[in-house]
């Protein structure tokens, strides 16, 4: 899909100006997310897929998670994440890798007991997402803790403000770039339940966002 190819380039450019930073206190600016990441930090080996500049991975490291791998196809994001880890003295137990869904091909079954992905599966075509979820199920241990965070559902009202172009039933572009794969909670649940057990679902906002902003968090357990 050419709109997705354009998105891969877009994300790499998007992260070009990001600079590594010295982290102060451990925070991601979202009380709800911090609670979820604290749960996830009890896993021994966590994969953060589509990690961007690695904020979730770095927070997990700050709060004591043993082993985290962040993967993203955007080299600019991965370089920033890796440099942030270095300047903060995180020399062990955190790794950033440039990779896409082919990353999974060399990972053995039952490798991870924790998985996180934020605002990534809803910018990827469904065919690729299905491949990713099949692989996540395989490389995660039975009962692994899985958190998938997605953007708010795109309503007509919201799209009137951000003005994306609808190119298929669930896909929206801006300037020819795939920016949103819009699915309802029920549609995501039906997909996730092929691989995982649903444990929780929350809608939340970050600390600087208006109440009812509607970010979505699916708490899942890998099926045996
Ligand atoms: C909306 S950004 C989210 C980044 C980060 N998780 C965050 O919350 O800030 C989507 C990310 O998904 C990455 N991405 C898109 N398709 C991917 C793929 N097939 N494999 C790995 N990363 C991908 C992009 O490079 C981008 O960094």
């Amino acid at each position: 899909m050419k709109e997705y190819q354009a998105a891969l380039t877009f994300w790499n450019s998007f992260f070009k100006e990001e600079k590594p930073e010295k982290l102060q206190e451990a925070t991601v600016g979202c009380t709800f997310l911090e609670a979820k990441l604290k749960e996830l930090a009890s896993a021994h080996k966590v994969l953060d897929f589509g990690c961007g500049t690695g904020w979730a991975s770095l927070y997990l490291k700050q709060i004591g998670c043993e082993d985290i791998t962040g993967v993203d196809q955007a080299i600019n994001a991965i370089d920033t994440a890796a440099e942030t880890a270095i300047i903060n003295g995180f020399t062990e137990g955190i790794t950033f890798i440039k990779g896409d869904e082919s990353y999974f091909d060399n990972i053995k079954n039952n490798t991870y007991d924790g998985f996180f992905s934020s605002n990534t599966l809803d910018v990827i075509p469904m065919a690729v997402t299905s491949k990713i979820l099949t692989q996540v199920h395989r490389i995660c241990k039975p009962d692994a803790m899985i958190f998938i965070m997605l953007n708010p559902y795109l309503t007509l009202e919201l799209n009137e403000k951000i003005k994306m172009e609808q190119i298929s039933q669930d896909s929206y572009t801006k300037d020819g770039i795939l920016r949103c794969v819009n699915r309802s909670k029920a549609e995501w649940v039906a997909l996730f339940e092929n691989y995982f057990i649903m444990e929780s679902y929350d809608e939340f906002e970050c600390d600087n966002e208006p109440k009812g902003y509607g970010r979505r968090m699916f708490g899942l357990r890998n099926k045996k």
Side-chain angles (χ1 to χ4, degrees):
M1 185 199 212
K2 67 178 189 312
E3 293 85 358
Y4 180 50
Q5 287 311 311
L8 298 177
T9 308
F10 166 82
W11 287 116
N12 196 38
S13 309
F14 179 86
F15 290 116
K16 198 165 174 211
E17 303 308 325
E18 292 285 331
K19 298 273 176 284
E21 56 175 339
K22 188 92 185 113
L23 302 171
Q24 306 298 327
E25 48 166 347
T27 179
V28 296
C30 180
T31 311
F32 171 86
L33 253 178
E34 285 173 8
K36 292 293 174 192
L37 290 167
K38 278 176 188 148
E39 274 183 59
L40 186 60
S42 65
H44 299 288
K45 197 167 170 59
V46 174
L47 177 63
D48 176 8
F49 188 75
C51 65
T53 53
W55 59 266
S57 297
L58 292 155
Y59 178 76
L60 285 167
K61 178 70 190 170
Q62 282 183 296
I63 61 171
C65 186
E66 275 171 38
D67 184 324
I68 310 128
T69 304
V71 173
D72 199 291
Q73 63 83 34
I75 187 65
N76 289 327
I78 287 298
D79 283 350
T80 302
E83 282 166 38
T84 303
I86 290 168
I87 65 174
N88 285 282
F90 302 151
T91 50
E92 281 178 20
I94 185 162
T95 312
F96 290 103
I97 297 173
K98 181 198 177 302
D100 59 14
E101 60 280 6
S102 62
Y103 166 78
F104 298 108
D105 295 347
N106 297 319
I107 306 295
K108 293 194 179 122
N109 294 356
N110 303 333
T111 297
Y112 289 95
D113 62 348
F115 178 85
F116 181 78
S117 186
S118 111
N119 300 351
T120 294
L121 295 186
D122 51 2
V123 296
I124 291 181
M126 283 312 299
V128 181
T129 287
S130 293
K131 279 187 201 157
I132 291 170
L133 293 176
T134 303
Q135 291 281 42
V136 172
H137 173 61
R138 181 185 68 74
I139 62 153
C140 283
K141 295 184 176 166
D143 288 331
M145 207 185 304
I146 292 166
F147 286 111
I148 297 178
M149 175 178 151
L150 299 172
N151 282 302
Y153 184 73
L154 182 69
T155 57
L156 273 177
E157 190 190 4
L158 179 56
N159 200 32
E160 260 163 36
K161 285 188 203 143
I162 52 184
K163 299 197 185 315
M164 290 194 284
E165 184 188 348
Q166 185 168 13
I167 58 162
S168 71
Q169 197 188 344
D170 61 7
S171 300
Y172 292 75
T173 60
K174 192 140 196 171
D175 304 325
I177 296 163
L178 180 68
R179 295 297 301 277
C180 174
V181 174
N182 194 36
R183 307 192 101 211
S184 65
K185 173 195 170 189
E187 288 171 315
W188 283 111
V189 169
L191 178 65
F192 294 151
E193 282 185 340
N194 293 317
Y195 315 93
F196 315 122
I197 296 160
M198 270 288 287
E199 288 215 318
S200 61
Y201 172 76
D202 293 276
E203 294 190 1
F204 69 101
E205 58 280 330
C206 292
D207 297 348
N208 61 353
E209 289 171 342
K211 262 226 142 344
Y213 189 78
R215 293 185 182 278
R216 298 176 286 177
M217 177 67 86
F218 297 81
L220 308 155
R221 286 267 166 198
N222 202 19
K223 279 190 181 169
K224 295 193 197 311

